[in-house]
Amino acid sequence: MKESQSLPRWFNATVTKQGVASRSTLFLLVAIKTTRLLCLIAGYWLFAAMMHDWVVLAQQPDMSDWLGLTAALLLAWLLQGDAYRRTLQAKTDLLSGLEKRFAERLVAEQTSLVSIHSAYFWQSVWTRHISALVHWRYDYQVQQYVAVLTPFFALLFILVVNPVVGGSLLITLPLIPLFMILVGKGAAALQRKHFVALTRLGSLFVDRLTALGLLASFRTHQIEQKILKQASDDLNERTMKVVGVAFLSNTVLDFFSTIAVALIAVFIGFSLLGEFSLGPELTLHSGLWLLLTAPLLFSELKALGQFYHQKAEAEAARDAAGDWLAPLEAGQLDEPANELTEPQQFSLQLANNLLASQSLTLLPGDWVAVTGPSGSGKTLLLEALAGQRTGNYRLPCRVAMLTQHPVLLPATLRENLNYQRTFTTARLEQALSEVELKAWLDSLPAGLDTPLAEVPAISGGQAQRLALARLLLSDAPVWLLDEPTAHLPEAQHHSLSQLIYSLGQGRTVLWVSHKALPDDWFNRTWQVENRRVQQMAGEAVS
């Protein structure tokens, strides 16, 4: 099936690992569903024979026919239940495997992902795109095989019983997949546009919620309301287009299948009345079986049509999130060493040629000024060294990063400082004292257990000092500082920079800053320009 080639290669290549799609499971489901339909065909044959005995021969059907019909229908029912159970289990395994991969990606790349897309985008990947790939794998792709095998076997049996009916079905049957292909291409394009509109509306809504204070200050509620309404109307319009195509597809499929079965019913009826004499002689047995079996050819194609939107959703998920669900590079999640003990000399090369460097040297205890114009790749460099970007090198020790925008969780001060670790109250208070926040801590109503949402909004300088306290608690030997004072007034910039300098003694520090810093703080300078990094000597910080 060529459709699977439209999905990422890693999705089809890693089909034998635990937690991802198993090709053997896929084919087992196809076999179970096809066998179930063959049992129905056998049951229809026995039922038609029993009707022939009752109506035409006016005699009771044989007990063997009763037992055969019961066995066929019971087996079909058991196979249907087994297929449902296996499908549910396979979906659960694949979903957990992809969610684990995505969670590992979030852990490995962290802040680098936040800067690429909005928070709503990552929520959509987790809640919509991953499940779209799962449904494609075990609904659409299984049905794709079943929709080929079932008509093949049914048509083969029909041709043996009556070549005329089989020939007519052979001519009309290709019209349905041809129409599905034509409609499917349009549906895929509409589905991608729908995802784009949904992501834009979600991102717009989250952005406006974040900026409620700013909107209130400038009294722009009505303007923003119109913008949101326009985005909502655009989404509604695209949704109705997708729904309209889905209804059109189902209607045409029903039309073709109904007409085909009706023509067969007319032919069988007139043949039984003696009006037609084409092909082998029809009896009530063969005629009733043909009427019961012919819809199976179309029912599986119609079921594929009902799942066809999943292919469009999966392709949209591939475009939006395919690379983010790929397996991580070997060792990307390995626990790094606690200390930077050896001199590092390396040449950096990121995937897709995002960033490259000449030979760089980093010694334990170095203070490196990372300079260069905005957009040149300085943040990429820090993210690569932290292991948050796919490349050929990462620092072989634990690192801590301080960015322009410190992240504060909607939780207590203690939980913000602990962050997946547990420190004593004395250690937390010591860290806050070191970053000059002890007086602020004493003013809080519940001390460390005060929810940050229940205190007056903290200033940018206080937020950065809290983030700096987290750096101290991490006890990382390397600090990566990405313009931590960029949005602070000049006085706060100098005081916080001096505090970072004093607390960072004994550590290895790489500092990106567009604001003036004393030259004698640094013993090494790395210049970044046009995504190329080179090591300088004796240059001042710009």
Side-chain angles (χ1 to χ4, degrees), residues 413-462:
L413 177 58
R414 184 188 301 274
E415 291 168 332
N416 269 274
L417 292 174
N418 280 328
Y419 189 60
Q420 299 181 345
R421 302 176 68 182
T422 302
F423 298 98
T424 63
T425 298
R427 181 69 186 94
L428 295 178
E429 291 179 348
Q430 179 187 355
L432 291 175
S433 296
E434 291 176 347
V435 298
E436 301 175 357
L437 286 180
K438 187 62 169 65
W440 175 74
L441 172 64
D442 294 338
S443 69
L444 299 179
L448 289 169
D449 296 312
T450 303
L452 292 184
E454 296 180 6
V455 299
I458 62 178
S459 66
Q462 288 174 322

Side-chain angles (χ1 to χ4, degrees), residues 337-340 397-400 421 423 427 468-479 503 506-507:
N338 289 330
E339 299 294 337
L340 183 66
C397 64
R398 292 186 299 108
V399 302
R421 302 176 68 182
F423 298 98
R427 181 69 186 94
L468 181 57
R470 277 204 292 245
L471 256 67
L472 291 173
L473 292 168
S474 71
D475 203 27
V478 178
W479 285 3
L503 295 176
R507 292 180 170 84

Side-chain angles (χ1 to χ4, degrees), residues 357-385:
S357 76
Q358 300 174 352
S359 179
L360 301 175
T361 302
L362 185 66
L363 304 179
D366 273 352
W367 276 64
V368 182
V370 182
T371 66
S374 297
S376 59
K378 299 186 295 297
T379 299
L380 279 175
L381 172 62
L382 298 188
E383 291 171 350
L385 294 176

